[in-house]
């Protein structure tokens, strides 16, 4: 069966809208968390937010595409363009190129804005292109239209596991011979304007909804400590946004065109935790199983894993379950296991987070460093692995594991192998 390799990557993130600025932000221990652009009746920020700081839609889409697209679609187009460029794909075979994209909310902002306009100003105020902005498949559709592609175009909606499930789905398509190349990843957000500001008096209902549900801690006083994965003081997520896309190819196709692969997608696992709509099973048994599934798919054992990029949302229940899972899978390990997580730097970027984790893993293989977990200094004593704190760690990585777990019990894990 075909070996599947990564040949390009692109990103729009709270640390910047290119892979290099994203990685530079991680290396410099930047924290993207800032006061929310939305205000309450007294003018105080509605909690913390990790928005995209430097996104210019004009760089990535013409006026017609912008007018018919929610901002999440424009994020995806930008990340996809970067990935295609890095891969050196001057031409894409229309019938042999797939698009597999993940998003949990799609164009939810456009829907909430339309409802806001309807209630305040009546039907005539609704954007006439609202319907084509809303659909979650529009990011994949616009990517296909950008390159005139007619292969499989699929949208995966598995909450915060969406990007890894998209990568797993695309890998299966390529191995089955349905395509030679796939543009793959996940995207979330676009709730403020492209420049990060609030849009007049409009406040997305989801901003209040996540606070009402207890997902975030609006009383956190220090932005640097608002999201601290694996820390005993962790209290909830900071919502982030962005897109991360990669190019997958069969190794045969990559070799035939003289490309330089970045890594191999060696193994994948996906399953249902099936415990609670938002909380993982407390012992982490299903998260441990999905990690083992990915390792089995790769033909590898836990002792071969050189590092893990954890999902680690900085929630008390979520991190505890993943800690148990990591402890379980790596019980009896004879060498240190460095583990990092991004959400202290970027906030929780939802459906894009798994693909962002993949980019971090590939960078560790290429450049030999792993970012620290921003803000975390009091590591939960339950951790029987080495949480990277304080500063990036020097590492040698041949095999990495990447996790992504989502609401509804969506568990996914990916094993990535460095190529000689």
């Amino acid at each position: 069966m075909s070996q599947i390799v990564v040949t390009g990557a692109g990103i729009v993130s709270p640390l910047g809208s290119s892979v290099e600025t994203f990685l530079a932000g991680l290396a410099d221990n930047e924290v993207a968390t800032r006061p929310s652009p939305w205000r309450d009746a007294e003018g105080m920020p509605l909690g913390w937010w990790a928005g995209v700081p430097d996104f210019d839609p004009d760089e990535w889409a013409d006026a017609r595409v912008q007018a018919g697209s929610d901002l999440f679609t424009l994020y995806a187009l930008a990340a996809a363009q970067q990935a295609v460029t890095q891969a050196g794909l001057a031409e894409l075979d229309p019938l042999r190129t797939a698009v597999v994209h993940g998003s949990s909310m799609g164009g939810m902002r456009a829907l909430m804005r339309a409802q806001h306009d309807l209630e305040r100003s009546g039907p005539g105020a609704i954007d006439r292109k609202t319907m084509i902005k809303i659909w979650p498949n529009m990011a994949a559709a616009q990517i296909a239209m950008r390159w005139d592609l007619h292969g499989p175009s699929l949208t995966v909606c598995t909450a915060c596991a969406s990007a890894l499930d998209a990568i797993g789905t695309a890998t299966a398509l390529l191995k089955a011979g349905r395509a030679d190349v796939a543009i793959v990843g996940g995207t979330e957000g676009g709730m403020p304007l492209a420049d990060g500001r609030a849009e007049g008096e409009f406040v997305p209902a989801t901003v209040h909804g996540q606070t009402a549900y207890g997902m975030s801690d609006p009383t956190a006083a220090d932005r640097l400590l608002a999201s601290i994965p694996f820390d005993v003081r962790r209290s909830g997520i900071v919502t982030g946004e962005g897109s991360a896309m990669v190019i997958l190819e069969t190794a045969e196709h990559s070799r035939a065109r003289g490309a330089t692969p970045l890594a191999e997608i060696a193994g994948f696992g996906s399953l249902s935790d099936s415990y609670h709509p938002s909380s993982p099973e407390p012992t982490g048994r299903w998260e441990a199983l999905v990690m083992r599934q990915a390792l089995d798919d790769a033909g590898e054992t836990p002792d071969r894993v050189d590092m893990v990029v954890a999902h680690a949302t900085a929630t008390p229940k979520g991190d505890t379950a993943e800690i148990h899972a990591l402890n379980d899978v790596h019980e009896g390990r004879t060498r240190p296991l460095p583990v990092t997580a991004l959400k202290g730097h970027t906030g929780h970027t939802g459906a894009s987070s798994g693909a962002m984790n993949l980019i971090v893993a590939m960078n560790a293989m290429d450049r030999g460093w792993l970012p620290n977990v921003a803000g975390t200094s009091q590591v939960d004593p339950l951790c029987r692995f080495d949480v990277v704190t304080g500063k990036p760690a020097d590492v040698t990585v041949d095999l990495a594991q990447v996790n992504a777990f989502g609401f509804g019990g969506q568990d996914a894990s990916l094993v990535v192998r460095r190529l000689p």
Side-chain angles (χ1 to χ4, degrees), residues 101-259:
H101 178 260
S103 182
S104 58
M105 291 195 292
M108 183 66 73
R109 182 191 188 280
L111 178 60
M112 291 187 287
R113 179 58 204 251
Q115 187 69 38
H116 171 90
D117 292 342
L118 173 65
E119 292 174 354
R120 282 156 181 76
S121 305
I126 297 174
D127 182 344
R128 63 178 290 270
K129 295 189 176 182
T130 292
M131 297 310 296
I132 63 170
K133 292 182 176 183
I134 291 171
W135 305 115
N137 72 309
M138 281 300 167
Q142 286 288 357
I143 290 169
M145 286 185 276
R146 167 69 57 86
W147 284 279
D148 192 24
L149 305 177
H150 302 281
S153 178
L154 303 175
T155 297
V156 176
C157 183
T158 53
C160 305
S162 294
L164 288 197
D165 280 333
I167 291 167
T169 300
T171 298
L173 285 172
L174 294 174
K175 287 185 174 182
R178 297 281 306 281
D180 300 317
V181 176
I183 304 172
V184 194
T187 308
E188 208 76 87
M191 293 298 171
L193 294 171
D195 60 8
R197 294 181 298 112
E199 187 175 8
E201 63 178 6
F202 167 60
V203 180
T206 50
V207 173
H208 290 290
Q210 65 186 25
T211 302
Y213 194 60
M215 294 165 59
S216 58
D217 179 9
T219 66
D222 186 343
R223 75 176 185 90
L224 300 179
L225 300 177
S227 174
I228 43 176
F230 294 138
D231 196 293
V232 294
R233 300 163 294 168
R234 62 188 184 271
S235 60
I237 70 169
V238 167
T239 298
E241 56 183 2
S243 178
M245 304 292 289
V246 295
I247 303 301
L248 302 186
E249 297 183 54
T250 63
E252 296 86 349
H253 187 273
S254 172
R255 282 194 297 268
R257 66 183 190 86

Side-chain angles (χ1 to χ4, degrees), residues 15 36 73 78 109-110 129 144-145 158-159 197 216 236 273 283 309 414:
L15 295 176
S36 160
T73 294
R109 182 191 188 280
K129 295 189 176 182
M145 286 185 276
T158 53
R197 294 181 298 112
S216 58
D273 199 281
T283 69
V309 187
L414 198 69

